[in-house]
Amino acid sequence: MKGKINAALAALALASAAQAADGISVEFPGSNNSLMRIEGDARYLLMPVQESNDDATVRVLVDGRLEKTIYVRLAKTKVDYSVPFDLTPYRGHKVTLNILSSQGRGSVREAKEDVAWSNFALADTFDTTNTERYRPAFHHTPSYGWMNDPNGMFYDGERWHLYYQANPYGSKWQNMTWGHSSSADLVDWEHHPLAIEPDGLGAIFSGSCVVDSAGTAGFGPGAVIALYTSADASQMQSMAYSTDGGKNFTKWPGNPVLVLESEARDPNMFWHAPTNEWIMVLAHALEHEMLVFASPNLRDWTLRSSFGKGLGAQNGVWECPDLFRLPVEGEDTYKWVFLCNINPGAPFGGSGTQYFVGDFDGTTFTPDRLPDGTVPEKWMDYGKDNYAGVSWSDAPDARRTVIGWMSNWQYAAEVPTTQFRSANTLPREMGLFRGADGQVYLSCTPSPEVDVLRDRATVKASGVSAGSNGRSYRLPSANDGICEIDIDLKSEHADSVMISLSNEAGEKVDLCYKAADRTLAMDRRASGKDDFSQEFPAVTVAPLYGPDGSLSLRIFVDRSSIEVFADGGRSSMTNLVFPTQPYTTLTVKGIGGKARIENLKIYPLRALF
Ligand code: FRU
């Protein structure tokens, strides 16, 4: 009898403990419910992730009180990578995780078979060394984990602050938090601790920051004020402030600051001197319009107007607005630009940034119209991979510097990277110019700081004619061939000019200039890996606004992206590529006649990662 009881007790014990690393013990009060107790002073709990799994709900209990809830794709059959959970804020306290699995386990025995349990670990370091071939070498990326929209950017007089939508617990979208990086030169980015984390009002979606020099919000002159969207069952706008230059934020205790009765997000603020008040533009996402609010103190907001309903591309939700003023090149005129990011509905599918040019009087934005009275559709970038771009506030020298998320919601979560996902575009300077049709358009050129990446040119050529056999040049080999290609062309007798980047594996990207059509196309259908999404293979086409019959290009090639700036940034095109080996050759061909390479320079670029 005693033996039987012992056996039953042993079976019970077996059913309630799983093999775990030192300092970690797991018990199973139910088949989809486990308790993990953590002992000791380690800095991180490393959590094993399997991306194909659904999220488990991880409730972090500190001395028995619910501290936070995070969502993690804990590994079931295989560990893809681990993510760190920072334990340092809870030193000296009891940390217990209550883990609710989303995939029904039939029994405790089954639950215990998950490989996660034996792969949780405690550690004092978390390795973010790059081991991935597609990690950009000179673009901003998170040190690990998922990133989407850049947001909250401001310049503090010395450093450019860049916050971004981050998932610290995996490489897919979830747990939206503001990650934080800063840079003295827009190129070399330093990563900082998470800036704003989810709370009882929800996840922290996109927003903006301003330096409140006059202290209008009541947190002292020079406080950095952030407005962001608190997103849970609904979306509301909340405030946080920083009195240490944007490192640490304190949430305003009276949050949210603005509640509407419909979905609205991504507040973007600026000081409007002529009316002496703050303006906030807010995406009225499902109404396909932007709302304009005004405030004396960044907390009390009054609706002034709405803009966009029925205008431009309307197929997607409207997100991430920005509104600013710029001079028109060569004129004595200033115009306002309204950036309206939309998803889907971009010219080549998925997400993209449309913009409107017009006037703003502190209340209403009035768009420029064509002679027939319609409002033209304009796009900031004619590639597939530049979304959610917004500009820095308080940039020096009246600069309007913008950065975009270099991906597309169609496949952002599927691109072939592992420990991190997504990069931002190069920082770009925006300007306005008047096209031959009388319309004012936005230009984007790489910020001048980017030039410091250049090494001495490895190829220099001028006055070379290129026919159907083409002229070929070697691309740099250092740092996986990352480079800048500057080329000025004349189409002369050619119907089109083909500029190709190719490698020994037969992969290539073709840029096709058609002078008669005034277009530049990029074909990435044979560029490398593309089987992760049927939306990825694509040909994108940009209208050109340069002089007739000639084209000048700056092409930036990083490990997994190509950015093309035509005619001083009058057209730009940003596309991701995933070649299985770096591109090694540049070929220029005149098709249907000879074209002429006026100038060509190829610069190897310095790798930052
Ligand atoms: C745009 C967006 C925003 C939102 C954020 C959430 O890409 O959908 O509207 O704030 O992403 O991460």
Side-chain angles (χ1 to χ4, degrees):
M1 184 63 186
K2 203 169 171 202
K4 260 195 188 162
I5 290 172
N6 279 348
L9 283 176
L12 204 61
L14 208 76
S16 61
Q19 200 60 44
D22 278 355
I24 299 174
S25 65
V26 195
E27 296 150 87
F28 293 85
S31 52
N32 293 300
N33 183 4
S34 37
L35 272 187
M36 176 173 291
R37 296 181 204 259
I38 296 164
E39 304 289 337
D41 281 339
R43 178 142 194 221
Y44 298 115
L45 172 69
L46 302 183
M47 303 184 290
V49 170
Q50 179 173 14
E51 283 207 337
S52 57
N53 238 9
D54 288 341
D55 281 311
T57 302
V58 179
R59 290 150 42 90
V60 180
L61 309 176
V62 177
D63 296 337
R65 288 168 65 108
L66 180 61
E67 171 71 18
K68 58 171 92 176
T69 302
I70 61 176
Y71 302 91
V72 191
R73 294 168 179 265
L74 291 178
K76 186 170 166 63
T77 53
K78 159 177 169 273
V79 180
D80 292 327
Y81 53 85
S82 290
V83 288
F85 180 81
D86 188 0
L87 294 167
T88 47
Y90 317 119
R91 282 226 167 110
H93 298 271
K94 273 261 166 242
V95 178
T96 305
L97 305 188
N98 179 205
I99 301 174
L100 307 169
S101 160
S102 57
Q103 290 156 323
R105 270 64 168 166
S107 62
V108 164
R109 187 175 295 275
E110 195 191 319
K112 289 170 72 177
E113 281 166 13
D114 283 7
V115 298
W117 311 123
S118 53
N119 283 284
F120 273 96
L122 292 170
D124 287 323
T125 53
F126 176 66
D127 188 4
T128 55
T129 316
N130 176 32
T131 54
E132 297 193 45
R133 69 170 307 122
Y134 295 126
R135 191 174 174 94
F138 60 90
H139 285 84
H140 172 264
T141 52
S143 59
Y144 75 96
W146 167 272
M147 173 174 81
N148 57 290
D149 317 359
N151 52 213
M153 293 105 78
F154 74 95
Y155 181 70
D156 69 8
E158 280 174 17
R159 294 185 75 79
W160 301 80
H161 290 267
L162 167 58
Y163 303 85
Y164 53 90
Q165 291 283 279
N167 180 6
Y169 309 118
S171 302
K172 289 194 187 261
W173 186 93
Q174 190 49 283
N175 303 304
M176 278 302 113
T177 298
W178 278 26
H180 181 199
S181 307
S182 72
S183 169
D185 61 4
L186 285 167
V187 171
D188 235 326
W189 293 99
E190 187 186 335
H191 293 297
H192 303 294
L194 301 174
I196 311 183
E197 295 190 66
D199 58 27
L201 290 172
I204 313 297
F205 275 15
S206 284
S208 59
C209 285
V210 288
V211 178
D212 182 15
S213 318
T216 59
F219 304 111
V224 179
I225 309 293
L227 275 198
Y228 57 87
T229 302
S230 291
D232 200 343
S234 302
Q235 299 180 351
M236 303 172 283
Q237 317 315 316
S238 294
M239 172 194 269
Y241 60 93
S242 167
T243 50
D244 63 1
K247 275 198 211 105
N248 295 289
F249 281 89
T250 306
K251 288 173 183 143
W252 186 56
N255 277 339
V257 295
L258 181 65
V259 177
L260 302 180
E261 291 174 358
S262 50
E263 198 160 304
R265 57 178 176 266
D266 312 336
N268 199 332
M269 318 164 263
F270 62 93
W271 177 250
H272 188 251
T275 51
N276 217 20
E277 59 190 354
W278 295 101
I279 298 292
M280 178 228 292
V281 285
L282 186 66
H284 208 191
L286 306 178
E287 301 297 322
H288 313 280
E289 64 179 7
M290 300 302 184
L291 303 176
V292 179
F293 291 83
S295 170
N297 60 10
L298 295 163
R299 272 200 314 271
D300 302 309
W301 293 99
T302 311
L303 181 64
R304 285 282 164 81
S305 67
S306 65
F307 166 73
K309 216 172 179 85
L311 300 179
Q314 287 276 323
N315 321 1
V317 292
W318 284 38
E319 305 183 314
C320 304
D322 197 1
L323 180 59
F324 49 83
R325 200 175 84 118
L326 280 173
V328 182
E329 187 189 273
E331 297 181 10
D332 215 4
T333 340
Y334 280 82
K335 295 298 272 183
W336 285 80
V337 180
F338 215 140
L339 298 186
C340 302
N341 285 280
I342 72 161
N343 174 46
F348 306 102
S351 39
T353 309
Q354 68 174 331
Y355 68 90
F356 300 87
V357 176
D359 298 299
F360 178 66
D361 60 6
T363 297
T364 309
F365 177 81
T366 311
D368 287 357
R369 291 180 183 267
L370 294 169
D372 67 4
T374 56
V375 173
E377 196 175 305
K378 297 174 181 170
W379 296 88
M380 183 159 104
D381 190 297
Y382 284 87
K384 280 196 76 147
D385 299 304
N386 183 357
Y387 189 56
V390 287
S391 63
W392 263 270
S393 61
D394 297 300
D397 310 322
R399 289 170 66 173
R400 258 305 144 183
T401 309
V402 66
I403 198 164
W405 176 47
M406 200 156 52
S407 200
N408 190 310
W409 279 116
Q410 285 181 327
Y411 43 70
E414 318 303 330
V415 297
T417 62
T418 306
Q419 209 196 2
F420 81 100
R421 261 207 197 90
S422 298
N424 281 315
T425 65
L426 283 176
R428 302 168 181 194
E429 301 303 312
M430 293 189 282
L432 292 176
F433 66 96
R434 199 172 290 275
D437 59 358
Q439 286 293 308
V440 174
Y441 293 93
L442 188 63
S443 63
C444 292
T445 49
S447 298
E449 285 86 346
V450 169
D451 291 354
V452 305
L453 290 168
R454 282 183 188 164
D455 220 327
R456 191 169 310 157
T458 49
V459 171
K460 282 187 186 174
S462 56
V464 182
S465 74
S468 55
N469 289 337
R471 295 275 177 176
S472 291
Y473 302 91
R474 281 208 73 74
L475 293 171
S477 54
N479 300 322
D480 301 322
I482 61 167
C483 62
E484 175 186 344
I485 304 164
D486 291 3
I487 184 164
D488 301 327
L489 295 165
K490 280 212 162 27
S491 67
E492 294 203 326
H493 309 288
D495 298 329
S496 58
V497 188
M498 192 70 93
I499 306 147
S500 307
L501 280 73
S502 58
N503 66 15
E504 268 96 75
E507 296 160 349
K508 62 179 182 127
V509 175
D510 289 330
L511 289 165
C512 181
Y513 167 43
K514 286 203 172 128
D517 298 354
R518 294 184 146 261
T519 58
L520 177 71
M522 194 193 301
D523 183 346
R524 69 171 178 196
R525 288 174 301 177
S527 59
K529 271 192 200 171
D530 62 4
D531 56 357
F532 50 87
S533 162
Q534 52 184 21
E535 307 293 350
F536 189 78
V539 182
T540 64
V541 188
L544 294 173
Y545 300 96
D548 246 348
S550 62
L551 173 68
S552 95
L553 296 178
R554 290 181 74 186
I555 306 170
F556 289 84
V557 184
D558 203 341
R559 294 190 174 113
S560 51
S561 62
I562 299 185
E563 286 159 286
V564 180
F565 301 90
D567 302 320
R570 292 177 171 225
S571 311
S572 50
M573 200 186 270
T574 305
N575 281 317
L576 294 176
V577 286
F578 298 96
T580 58
Q581 323 170 356
Y583 301 122
T584 49
T585 308
L586 172 79
T587 308
V588 181
K589 272 187 196 167
I591 295 176
K594 286 202 168 158
R596 191 176 160 85
I597 303 171
E598 294 286 329
N599 285 298
L600 169 66
K601 279 192 182 157
I602 304 181
Y603 300 98
L605 297 181
R606 191 160 59 87
L608 300 170
F609 306 101

